[in-house]
Amino acid sequence: MSLTEIPLTTLTGAPTSLADYADRAVLLVNVASKCGLTPQYAALEQLARDYADRGLAVIGVPCNQFMGQEPGTPEEIQTFCSTTYGVTFPLLAKTDVNGPERHPLYAELTTFADDEGQAGDIQWNFEKFVIAPGGTVVNRFRPRTEPDAPEVVAAIEAVLPG
């Protein structure tokens, strides 16, 4: 099954999939509201705004698997993101990214290696995947790599459709 065919659910409970973004580049990031890396939301939102008209979609995937750092309800998560960081990009339903209940999306994503050749489990909140239009993963960046780091921006710019 390709990434674009995997059924997903938005934070509000609506069905979706990456097929909805097949003509766009996607920066997909597992996120959390109570993490030391949470301020990365600001850079993610800035990327979403700066590159939207060039074909980038930023998608956040809340995950509570790392020290319970995303404990909120969907409403609490949405409120936190919009009021604290002005987040306008879409958020998916809270998702397991590792372990026996790992979502099929992450079962596929974790097969892709980072720049050091390491595939496997998501290390922590804010691990980033750059996905080209059509649904091919082209880069994986670990959590401490800032969303606006030159290497992330270059990876995004390399696959922008417009």
Side-chain angles (χ1 to χ4, degrees), residues 21 24-28 48 51-52 55-59 89-90 129 131 160:
Y21 303 93
R24 303 178 68 78
V26 173
L27 179 61
L28 188 90
Y51 287 95
L56 176 68
V58 175
I59 301 173
F89 58 82
F129 292 88
I131 304 169
L160 288 173

Side-chain angles (χ1 to χ4, degrees), residues 16-103:
T16 190
S17 73
L18 291 181
D20 293 344
Y21 303 93
D23 62 341
R24 303 178 68 78
V26 173
L27 179 61
L28 188 90
V29 186
N30 62 301
V31 295
S33 301
K34 299 185 183 309
C35 174
L37 302 176
T38 299
Q40 288 189 21
Y41 266 124
L44 291 169
E45 178 61 22
Q46 194 61 53
L47 285 171
R49 291 173 188 259
D50 290 350
Y51 287 95
D53 62 345
R54 292 181 57 197
L56 176 68
V58 175
I59 301 173
V61 185
C63 178
N64 195 41
Q65 288 189 290
F66 303 100
M67 293 183 62
Q69 294 181 342
E70 188 60 274
T73 65
E75 296 78 19
E76 289 168 338
I77 294 168
Q78 186 66 58
T79 298
F80 171 82
C81 290
S82 61
T83 60
T84 308
Y85 292 101
V87 168
T88 59
F89 58 82
L91 297 169
L92 298 181
K94 204 182 295 190
T95 300
D96 280 358
V97 300
N98 290 332
E101 300 298 316
R102 182 192 324 249
H103 192 282

